[in-house]
Amino acid sequence: MKKLEWNLNELFESDDQFYQSIKEVKDSVQKFMHYKQEILDDAETLEKTLIEYWKIKEKLNNILIYGSLSYYKNINSERAINLKKDAECFNNEIITTLKFIDNKILELGLEKITKFIEENPKLKIYELSLHNLFRMKTHIQSDEINQKIKEINNHINNNINLYNQLMKNIKYGTIEINGKTIEICSSNFAKYISSRNREIRQKTYLEVNKNFQKESNQFSDILNHIIHYRIEMAKIENYDTVLEKVLFTENIDSKILDSLIESVNNNLNLIQEYLKIKSDMLGIETPHLYDFGVPLDSDLKIKYSLEDAVSIIKNALSPLGSEYMKAVEYLLNGHIDAIPDENKHQSITFSWHTYSFMNFRGSYVDLKNMIHELGHIVNYYLSKNNLPFLYEDSTIFVGETASIVNEILLNRYLREHAETEEEKLFYLSKEIENYFTSVFKQTMYTEYENELYLLNSSECLTSDLLSKKYDELLKKYYGENIEYDDEASVEWTRLGHLYRWSYYPYKYATGLLIASNVVNSLIDEKTLTKDQYIDFLSSGSSLYSLDLLKKLNIDLTNLNVINDGFKVLKKDINELKKIQSNIAKNK
């Protein structure tokens, strides 16, 4: 299906046009610099300034996206590597240059800005952005400090590139299967680690972790630098911690994160109960971590063609209504790059702007990833069509809602159309494991990240220290009924989010809990309408995150919202036991 490949012409029709846009932005910024001397002393001048400012930032955004997507499409191409590097460096340079505008607006004061908005209705669209700027005032720096921030950002990006290069070149090792030597790599690791043959998944797990262990000093050195630079940047931007910076940027109440960690820790018995049920069903008396990747599908060998996947996705999403499906139809043409290619990046799946990236190989996980990423780009697409550029991207905190709603609808559709009890059990187990990976594991990663920032403030993050702390959390979350291999503690080397972002994983956890509430109110109780949901998806970042959720009638500061999610998990586990019992009776 050729249509499930990117068509980046909406961004730039050629590399020449990409570099021409860089030149145009440079010229625009040069002309724009006259505002550095000009006094923004009236509403009309402020309007002209903001129009030009956001025009430049939109063009800059397209440059960054095109350069980055070109790289992930062909990581072996010198051309693509240069496009990504040129786009990132240029973006960093221009963002730093334009920061003087923020300072000039702040010099005017909130009272004068509010007066300008009253005088000129065309400034109303910028009101949230301007008020947010004043909210962030104590964290906005002088030109001199901004240059320092630029340097730190460059250091962080350089280290992230080192991590990407290390992941690209690392050898996963080899295993023997039926006398044949198999080379493990990022593209087949999932296949062998989830093999029904316990010896194969054991060999794979131990071999891969052994090879990552060999490079663990490199991984720890890179991570140590990244975390150190993020702490340094937070301090010079007047934040006490990196976490405070992340939460303050989106105006998130810090008690949400504390409540999530507390609530998950109080419910660890639920997921540990599921892991015990799973190991019993697999006939494993003493399970290891490598045993839990095996699907509970009674060897169904469920595979999906690309055509089947698209058909299933359309059917699963149809309850969201015609407007949603119209967006899906549009984005399935030229906005999803799903066809496997050895030149593509092999180990990541992501969405950016209205573009999704993956390698679809026909597994349930691939199907789930596709509908998940489609949720992201529908969210962006609807907001893009409804809002000016400055608000079209959803806030990160609520950004997972749209994608996980899609996952839940997919699982429901597959369960409803399952032909056997074994199929129902498979899909139900997938829903439970979604809680495990999205809520429990992502919260574990958040706890781990908390530890690392705390430790880095006082000591160097050596590979031994990183492994020790990871091992402690593994045992707390997975429980006592598991045999832990020494090699398990090196899994932190493969947690890409630690390197690429600060405090991202917890958003998957809150995202699933929010999405569960949305599906329940939209589909089951019908207390939320399709129009309300579309309105939420079309709102981008035009409100603060917690205010956006109010469009869905959700107040995440209410602990019941978080705790209710575990009621769903408990119900699913009980349902799993019933299906398991029915299967046993029919044998």
Side-chain angles (χ1 to χ4, degrees):
M1 290 179 66
K2 279 200 166 184
K3 66 179 181 179
L4 285 185
E5 289 184 299
W6 278 334
N7 176 3
L8 301 181
N9 286 353
E10 288 183 16
L11 296 170
F12 298 106
E13 293 183 1
S14 66
D15 292 354
D16 287 343
Q17 198 177 77
F18 164 83
Y19 282 108
Q20 178 61 31
S21 185
I22 287 180
K23 183 179 180 304
E24 289 169 1
V25 169
K26 278 183 181 176
D27 292 343
S28 295
V29 170
Q30 281 297 112
K31 293 174 186 173
F32 192 58
M33 292 302 285
H34 74 82
Y35 286 111
K36 205 161 190 175
Q37 284 75 42
E38 188 170 317
I39 299 171
L40 302 179
D41 58 356
D42 60 67
E44 187 180 349
T45 306
L46 178 61
E47 182 198 349
K48 287 177 182 176
T49 303
L50 291 174
I51 288 172
E52 187 60 28
Y53 175 80
W54 286 106
K55 272 184 184 175
I56 291 171
K57 291 196 82 168
E58 183 170 13
K59 289 178 181 177
L60 193 61
N61 190 55
N62 288 343
I63 289 167
L64 185 60
I65 293 167
Y66 181 87
S68 299
L69 297 189
S70 298
Y71 168 75
Y72 288 110
K73 179 74 172 168
N74 191 348
I75 61 174
N76 299 309
S77 161
E78 194 69 31
R79 162 218 166 238
I81 292 170
N82 288 333
L83 283 171
K84 182 173 183 287
K85 183 180 176 183
D86 291 344
E88 287 177 345
C89 290
F90 185 64
N91 179 76
N92 204 4
E93 176 190 337
I94 299 302
I95 289 294
T96 302
T97 302
L98 292 179
K99 283 188 175 179
F100 78 88
I101 289 295
D102 291 345
N103 288 323
K104 287 189 75 68
I105 291 171
L106 290 170
E107 286 170 12
L108 288 171
L110 181 58
E111 187 178 340
K112 185 171 276 191
I113 290 295
T114 303
K115 182 172 177 290
F116 286 169
I117 293 171
E118 291 170 356
E119 291 173 2
N120 185 353
K122 291 180 181 177
L123 285 171
K124 190 74 177 172
I125 192 67
Y126 302 104
E127 187 170 20
L128 177 67
S129 174
L130 291 168
H131 278 85
N132 193 46
L133 182 62
F134 281 94
R135 189 179 67 85
M136 302 284 292
K137 183 176 181 178
T138 57
H139 307 290
I140 293 171
Q141 304 303 322
S142 65
D143 289 349
E144 183 182 347
I145 296 296
N146 283 332
Q147 282 302 315
K148 178 66 174 173
I149 292 170
K150 175 186 172 184
E151 290 170 18
I152 295 173
N153 266 323
N154 283 334
H155 288 314
I156 291 172
N157 287 333
N158 288 339
N159 276 281
I160 291 173
N161 287 333
L162 285 175
Y163 174 76
N164 289 336
Q165 198 65 29
L166 186 54
M167 286 296 290
K168 175 184 170 185
N169 295 330
I170 197 168
K171 299 297 182 185
Y172 280 51
T174 60
I175 60 172
E176 294 287 324
I177 301 178
N178 299 324
K180 189 176 178 182
T181 301
I182 304 292
E183 184 174 353
I184 306 297
C185 59
S186 60
S187 60
N188 66 15
F189 173 64
K191 171 185 173 182
Y192 292 111
I193 198 64
S194 60
S195 171
R196 293 174 194 290
N197 185 313
R198 195 179 191 207
E199 184 182 355
I200 290 175
R201 61 180 185 265
Q202 180 192 42
K203 283 180 180 177
T204 302
Y205 185 82
L206 298 179
E207 176 70 7
V208 169
N209 281 350
K210 181 182 74 177
N211 280 280
F212 272 80
Q213 176 69 56
K214 290 176 186 175
E215 308 296 338
S216 62
N217 286 335
Q218 283 195 68
F219 281 109
S220 65
D221 187 56
I222 293 169
L223 186 56
N224 189 64
H225 280 98
I226 289 173
I227 288 180
H228 171 76
Y229 284 126
R230 285 178 181 151
I231 290 173
E232 183 182 357
M233 189 185 296
K235 284 179 179 175
I236 67 175
E237 290 179 322
N238 294 324
Y239 295 100
D240 290 334
T241 64
V242 174
L243 177 59
E244 182 193 354
K245 175 182 174 179
V246 172
L247 295 178
F248 190 85
T249 302
E250 286 201 54
N251 203 18
I252 301 295
D253 191 329
S254 62
K255 76 178 182 181
I256 290 173
L257 192 60
D258 295 335
S259 298
L260 173 68
I261 292 173
E262 181 184 352
S263 190
V264 167
N265 275 266
N266 289 339
N267 285 280
L268 287 176
N269 62 304
L270 281 176
I271 208 64
Q272 289 169 11
E273 180 186 5
Y274 170 69
L275 294 178
K276 178 69 169 65
I277 293 169
K278 184 170 187 177
S279 57
D280 288 345
M281 291 178 72
L282 293 171
I284 300 171
E285 191 172 330
T286 309
H288 290 241
L289 291 179
Y290 52 74
D291 290 316
F292 297 118
V294 183
L296 291 178
D297 61 0
S298 304
D299 203 15
L300 291 173
K301 292 184 169 60
I302 299 175
K303 297 291 279 186
Y304 312 88
S305 69
L306 212 45
E307 290 83 356
D308 288 342
V310 170
S311 176
I312 289 169
I313 285 170
K314 287 180 180 179
N315 288 329
L317 297 178
S318 60
L320 297 179
S322 58
E323 190 171 351
Y324 192 95
M325 295 312 298
K326 185 178 177 183
V328 168
E329 290 289 350
Y330 172 79
L331 293 167
L332 283 170
N333 290 278
H335 287 258
I336 299 177
D337 203 295
I339 297 173
D341 185 326
E342 62 182 13
N343 289 318
K344 290 170 68 173
H345 197 296
Q346 297 297 308
S347 61
I348 63 172
T349 298
F350 69 89
S351 291
W352 193 351
H353 196 264
T354 57
Y355 298 93
S356 293
F357 178 89
M358 65 181 300
N359 284 280
F360 186 91
R361 296 186 175 91
S363 69
Y364 171 83
V365 171
D366 291 331
L367 179 61
K368 187 183 85 164
N369 283 344
M370 185 180 288
I371 204 168
H372 177 104
E373 298 305 329
L374 190 56
H376 280 306
I377 60 177
V378 168
N379 191 179
Y380 197 106
Y381 175 75
L382 291 173
S383 294
K384 189 174 187 297
N385 289 346
N386 187 54
L387 298 165
F389 169 72
L390 74 161
Y391 299 130
E392 68 184 27
D393 197 5
S394 173
T395 66
I396 297 172
F397 183 74
V398 300
E400 291 302 323
T401 303
S403 53
I404 300 176
V405 163
N406 283 11
E407 283 186 31
I408 295 171
L409 291 176
L410 170 68
N411 193 280
R412 282 188 170 208
Y413 175 82
L414 293 171
R415 275 161 64 188
E416 287 169 5
H417 291 80
E419 296 178 358
T420 64
E421 290 286 284
E422 285 81 5
E423 272 190 69
K424 286 180 185 176
L425 184 142
F426 169 66
Y427 293 124
L428 183 59
S429 72
K430 289 298 182 186
E431 179 159 288
I432 295 170
E433 291 193 11
N434 203 19
Y435 272 90
F436 181 48
T437 57
S438 296
V439 178
F440 288 89
K441 287 186 78 171
Q442 303 303 328
T443 304
M444 182 181 81
Y445 298 151
T446 301
E447 278 204 67
Y448 187 57
E449 195 167 357
N450 269 340
E451 289 261 20
L452 300 193
Y453 281 109
L454 188 63
L455 288 167
N456 189 266
S457 297
S458 57
E459 57 186 305
C460 182
L461 298 176
T462 64
S463 59
D464 287 343
L465 182 59
L466 287 162
S467 294
K468 177 177 179 290
K469 292 298 177 183
Y470 192 75
D471 183 64
E472 290 170 1
L473 279 171
L474 274 177
K475 289 172 180 172
K476 180 172 86 167
Y477 273 74
Y478 281 81
E480 298 175 354
N481 299 317
I482 292 170
E483 188 75 27
Y484 294 92
D485 301 286
D486 291 341
E487 291 81 356
S489 63
V490 81
E491 284 180 7
W492 58 267
T493 56
R494 298 196 296 280
L495 302 182
H497 58 80
L498 282 176
Y499 298 81
R500 298 187 182 103
W501 304 286
S502 299
Y503 286 98
Y504 196 92
Y506 84 91
K507 297 172 181 112
Y508 287 107
T510 52
L512 177 55
L513 296 169
I514 293 165
S516 296
N517 275 276
V518 170
V519 173
N520 181 58
S521 56
L522 183 65
I523 308 299
D524 299 333
E525 298 181 1
K526 302 197 185 309
T527 54
L528 184 73
T529 68
K530 293 172 189 174
D531 286 345
Q532 284 176 297
Y533 186 54
I534 292 293
D535 178 48
F536 165 76
L537 295 179
S538 304
S539 296
S541 54
S542 59
L543 295 169
Y544 290 122
S545 297
L546 298 184
D547 291 330
L548 279 169
L549 290 176
K550 289 175 184 175
K551 286 177 173 277
L552 302 173
N553 305 323
I554 290 174
D555 177 8
L556 209 59
T557 60
N558 182 345
L559 292 183
N560 290 331
V561 174
I562 293 177
N563 290 327
D564 283 351
F566 296 107
K567 292 178 184 176
V568 175
L569 177 60
K570 191 170 185 177
K571 180 182 173 185
D572 283 348
I573 290 173
N574 289 333
E575 180 67 20
L576 184 74
K577 290 177 184 175
K578 287 180 187 175
I579 295 174
Q580 179 190 10
S581 176
N582 290 339
I583 291 173
K585 286 177 186 175
N586 293 329
K587 282 187 177 178

